[in-house]
Amino acid sequence: MQGFLLQATIYLGAAVIAVPLAARLGLGSVLGYLAAGIIIGPATGLVGAETEDLQHFAEFGVVMMLFLIGLELEPRALWNMRQRLIGLGGVQVVLTTGILFGAGSLLGLDPNVALAIGLIFALSSTAIVLQTLSEKGLMRTQGGRSVFSVLLTQDIAVIPMLALLPLLAVGGGHGGGGAAHSAPANPDAPGVKEVEAARTLIENLPGWAVTLVTLGAVAVVVLAGIYLTRPVFRYIHHARLRELYTALGLLMVVSIAVLMELVGLSPALGTFLAGVVLANSEFRHELESDLEPFKGLLLGLFFITVGAGIDFGVLLGNPLQIVGLTLGVIVIKGSVLYLLARLAKMHTRDRWLFTLALAQAGEFGFVLSSFSLQQGVLTSETAGVIRLVIALSMLVTPLLFILYEQLSARADKAPDPDPDEIDREAPIIIAGIGRFGQVVSRLVQGAGFETVVLDHDMEMIDTMRRFGFGGFFGDPTRPDILHAAGLERAKVLVVALDDRQAALKLVRHARAMHPELHIVARAYDREHVYQLYQAGANDIVRELFDSSLRAGRYVLEHIGLSRFEASELEMAYYQQDRAGVRELAQLWKPGVPVSQNPEYVARARSLNKDLETSILERLHPQGDAQEVEAAEEPVGYRSKDRS
């Protein structure tokens, strides 16, 4: 017990020290965990032989992570990913395996060994990549979704790879050291003999029976997720104990993982499938909040064991060969990924993200290399080199993400293509065709008025053209673009740009070029309203103001007011707020925070009181003071309801 507590202290202490330091340096948590593992392992020898056994336990963090990712994906979203799964993921695995197989054959390796190596290095690190994508907020980008699709395909591909590797055994014998990897860490542990007996029973069944058992296991996961989850959660709910929800979440993940292992499937794939099934359930957020801390700790432990397991003795014995093999794997995989990204017509940023995020080898490579050693496909020496190359490539991954950030920054600074030639004019010019500008444009064009639409985003212009809406590519803040669009003869300019400073620049240019022009501008917040007002805009619309008012009206309608009363209060608020903003704009001082402007603060407080009074008077036009005072309590809320 004391030894276990000492090891736990070492691992946790290393994580607590190294990870915040790495995050502060901008290197990300993954590199911090890997560095912590190197320090307590090869560097100082604080941990040793138990690292490999601990890594098998820590790999459960990958299983839990895929379960949580599945909870974020609805089945329809997964079906919509089918082209990426087959096109990007499937082609990547096949091409990478084939090229590495060819490279190994040219180096004189046995074809079976070369194929096994190709399969091992075709996989990428699900744990490191998804953790880093989440930290950097890249999961929802096109590149991030494509990366996830490939990782999911690779996890699925592990199943046929495990079936193929025994067929590649050289001479049908077992390699040296294989028994150590095939034997359980503690064969006398409770449940180990029972699990091994069940697995042996399944493996001894005829092929058709194994297939049926496998399909049955998948069906059990799906049906249990659909029909069993709700009554079980209701049963747990009656106990009113928070820890039981956590226990149930862990039970679900662990039991699915055990079931998948029994039938020879990937536990990560099984739990991912269960997560997708539960993505639409009302218990999704409960499961996420309960399992997220366990996932984070186990993934961190996994990264530490990877760093601690690096054999620097082998590396120092032949550094050029090991480093050369590592770089070779990264370059070959990166070349395949870049080619696929080009064929998929990804944009520059997404292309580099797709290429650099997946260029490393992955944690499933450790599983396949150990299995290949057990089956006699690889020798102990070859398997050791492969594991070291996998670990080093994973160690390099955070640096590849740093390289991606530099390349994407350069892509942002790259010169834009030449603007379109604007060959027509219209009385209305709309600058910006994002979410805001699209609504304005469709309303105005639907009413029969001609418009000239300008936007600096070529992708957005192309998308609008596909749907039949014309537009011109060009920077609306450039005077020559505005002149070509006929600003001097236009009647109305709509400024719907996302960039606050660009919107101000455009309003100033337009007002100087055409003093009589009516300018309708989109504002980010109140302060932006004041800036646009001083720049010369006529009508200024806060981008969330009207939608917030409508939401407030819905609340009033469903809390006890009639639709007419709610509409009247909405209009009262609108009129009072608009008048107040005009008045406060006269007191606003550029460069001075409003909280440090005494005149502004005093008048804002007074206007807030006037606003409340105006709303109450509109709600109780003939009420006395007592009625108004009673109305201050929210409608539908009574003191007897405070139990």
Side-chain angles (χ1 to χ4, degrees):
M1 183 65 180
Q2 291 180 348
F4 170 78
L5 293 176
L6 177 60
Q7 293 297 321
T9 302
I10 294 173
Y11 279 100
L12 292 174
V16 169
I17 294 173
V19 174
L21 181 60
R24 182 171 298 182
L25 295 175
L27 302 177
S29 66
V30 174
L31 191 58
Y33 283 120
L34 292 171
I38 292 174
I39 292 171
I40 65 176
T44 61
L46 293 176
V47 297
E50 79 286 346
T51 299
E52 186 174 344
D53 293 334
L54 191 58
Q55 189 175 70
H56 294 310
F57 171 74
E59 285 172 0
F60 194 70
V62 181
V63 174
M64 199 170 292
M65 176 179 63
L66 283 170
F67 177 74
L68 294 176
I69 290 172
L71 288 175
E72 298 290 338
L73 280 178
E74 296 181 2
R76 181 178 298 178
L78 188 61
W79 173 252
N80 292 336
M81 292 169 56
R82 63 189 184 279
Q83 293 182 343
R84 286 196 186 103
L85 292 173
I86 299 172
L88 288 176
V91 173
Q92 181 272 325
V93 172
V94 172
L95 275 181
T96 304
T97 301
I99 293 175
L100 290 171
F101 167 74
S105 300
L106 290 175
L107 293 175
L109 294 176
D110 181 273
N112 290 0
V113 175
L115 180 56
I117 293 175
L119 293 171
I120 292 170
F121 286 130
L123 306 177
S124 304
S125 176
T126 302
I128 291 180
V129 175
L130 292 185
Q131 177 81 357
T132 308
L133 288 177
S134 298
E135 284 184 3
K136 296 183 179 294
L138 298 171
M139 276 294 292
R140 297 190 181 276
T141 64
Q142 182 192 11
R145 290 192 296 267
S146 299
V147 167
F148 173 72
S149 301
V150 171
L151 290 172
L152 181 56
T153 305
Q154 291 176 356
D155 291 341
I156 297 172
V158 171
I159 301 168
M161 288 180 182
L162 289 171
L164 176 62
L165 285 173
L167 304 179
L168 303 178
V170 180
H174 295 291
H181 294 275
S182 61
N186 184 6
D188 296 325
V192 171
K193 293 181 180 179
E194 290 78 2
V195 171
E196 290 299 319
R199 183 181 299 163
T200 302
L201 177 62
I202 294 173
E203 291 173 351
N204 290 334
L205 292 174
W208 61 268
V210 173
T211 302
L212 287 178
V213 170
T214 302
L215 294 176
V218 174
V220 166
V221 171
V222 174
L223 294 175
I226 296 175
Y227 298 107
L228 192 59
T229 306
R230 185 171 286 106
V232 171
F233 262 94
R234 287 176 179 170
Y235 172 75
I236 292 295
H237 176 72
H238 290 304
R240 300 189 181 279
L241 294 175
R242 173 71 183 178
E243 60 270 21
L244 286 182
Y245 288 100
T246 304
L248 178 59
L250 290 173
L251 174 63
M252 292 172 61
V253 177
V254 173
S255 58
I256 293 170
V258 171
L259 178 62
M260 292 297 105
E261 281 196 335
L262 281 177
V263 298
L265 294 178
S266 166
L269 177 61
T271 52
F272 173 78
L273 177 62
V276 172
V277 172
L278 295 171
N280 288 322
S281 74
E282 63 268 36
F283 311 109
R284 164 188 160 189
H285 298 294
E286 186 75 32
L287 288 169
E288 286 178 337
S289 62
D290 288 337
L291 295 180
E292 186 68 33
F294 293 95
K295 186 260 302 186
L297 283 175
L298 288 173
L299 277 180
L301 181 60
F302 173 77
F303 298 140
I304 292 177
T305 58
V306 170
I310 296 177
D311 190 346
F312 282 93
V314 177
L315 175 62
L316 296 176
N318 202 342
L320 294 179
Q321 179 190 29
I322 301 299
V323 173
L325 289 173
T326 303
L327 293 178
V329 169
I330 292 175
V331 169
I332 290 174
K333 289 188 71 174
S335 301
V336 171
L337 292 163
Y338 189 81
L339 174 63
L340 292 176
R342 291 294 297 266
L343 293 176
K345 297 181 180 180
M346 295 184 192
H347 295 288
T348 304
R349 290 171 60 96
D350 295 318
R351 191 187 309 154
W352 283 119
L353 176 61
F354 184 75
T355 300
L356 296 174
L358 295 168
Q360 79 294 114
E363 55 275 352
F364 281 117
F366 294 117
V367 178
L368 293 181
S369 62
S370 297
F371 186 69
S372 300
L373 178 61
Q374 171 196 343
Q375 297 297 322
V377 182
L378 302 176
T379 63
S380 300
E381 181 180 356
T382 304
V385 172
I386 289 174
R387 291 195 201 100
L388 183 56
V389 171
I390 294 172
L392 288 179
S393 69
M394 293 170 71
L395 187 63
V396 170
T397 301
L399 303 179
L400 295 179
F401 273 98
I402 294 175
L403 177 61
Y404 155 73
E405 292 173 351
Q406 295 177 347
L407 291 173
S408 61
R410 290 185 182 179
D412 290 339
K413 297 178 181 178
D416 292 319
D418 294 332
D420 292 335
E421 181 179 349
I422 303 175
D423 54 5
R424 66 184 180 87
E425 297 181 2
I428 302 169
I429 299 175
I430 299 178
I433 196 63
R435 295 173 299 169
F436 189 95
Q438 285 180 30
V439 175
V440 176
S441 176
R442 294 178 67 179
L443 174 62
V444 173
Q445 291 183 16
F449 296 96
E450 294 186 0
T451 64
V452 174
V453 177
L454 306 173
D455 201 288
H456 195 44
D457 188 338
M458 191 68 202
E459 181 181 0
M460 183 61 70
I461 290 292
D462 288 339
T463 301
M464 295 301 296
R465 286 172 178 170
R466 292 192 192 101
F467 287 93
F469 300 98
F472 297 97
F473 172 72
D475 185 356
T477 63
R478 285 173 49 179
D480 58 323
I481 299 292
L482 294 173
H483 176 74
L487 182 70
E488 292 87 347
R489 290 167 293 282
K491 295 182 178 180
V492 180
L493 169 66
V494 179
V495 181
L497 301 176
D498 290 330
D499 189 328
R500 299 173 59 167
Q501 296 304 317
L504 285 172
K505 181 180 178 182
L506 174 55
V507 171
R508 293 191 184 103
H509 280 329
R511 180 56 68 215
M513 293 174 66
H514 190 346
E516 302 301 321
L517 180 69
H518 191 90
I519 301 176
V520 180
R522 164 193 179 184
Y524 178 77
D525 55 15
R526 278 200 178 204
E527 189 168 356
H528 197 208
V529 170
Y530 304 147
Q531 294 171 338
L532 290 168
Y533 176 81
Q534 291 192 353
N538 299 100
D539 292 320
I540 305 169
V541 181
R542 277 172 279 168
E543 57 188 26
L544 296 179
F545 180 68
D546 292 316
S547 57
S548 301
L549 272 181
R550 188 167 56 178
R553 190 186 79 220
Y554 292 156
V555 172
L556 294 175
E557 289 177 5
H558 289 83
I559 203 68
L561 269 64
S562 68
R563 182 171 296 181
F564 174 77
E565 290 173 329
S567 179
E568 284 290 300
L569 295 186
E570 178 189 15
M571 182 56 63
Y573 186 98
Y574 173 81
Q575 295 172 346
Q576 194 79 10
D577 185 85
R578 291 267 294 178
V581 168
R582 293 192 195 97
E583 188 172 339
L584 290 173
Q586 308 299 324
L587 300 175
W588 178 74
K589 299 177 181 178
V592 179
V594 292
S595 61
Q596 299 178 15
N597 184 336
E599 295 84 0
Y600 182 99
V601 172
R603 188 54 187 151
R605 290 171 64 92
S606 175
L607 288 171
N608 285 337
K609 293 181 179 179
D610 293 343
L611 177 62
E612 294 175 2
T613 302
S614 175
I615 292 176
L616 290 175
E617 288 177 349
R618 187 74 66 96
L619 183 61
H620 302 276
Q622 297 178 348
D624 55 18
Q626 292 180 348
E627 290 175 331
V628 172
E629 183 179 355
E632 291 179 354
E633 187 174 43
V635 178
Y637 186 87
R638 300 291 181 262
S639 54
K640 67 179 181 180
D641 296 327
R642 294 179 183 179
S643 56

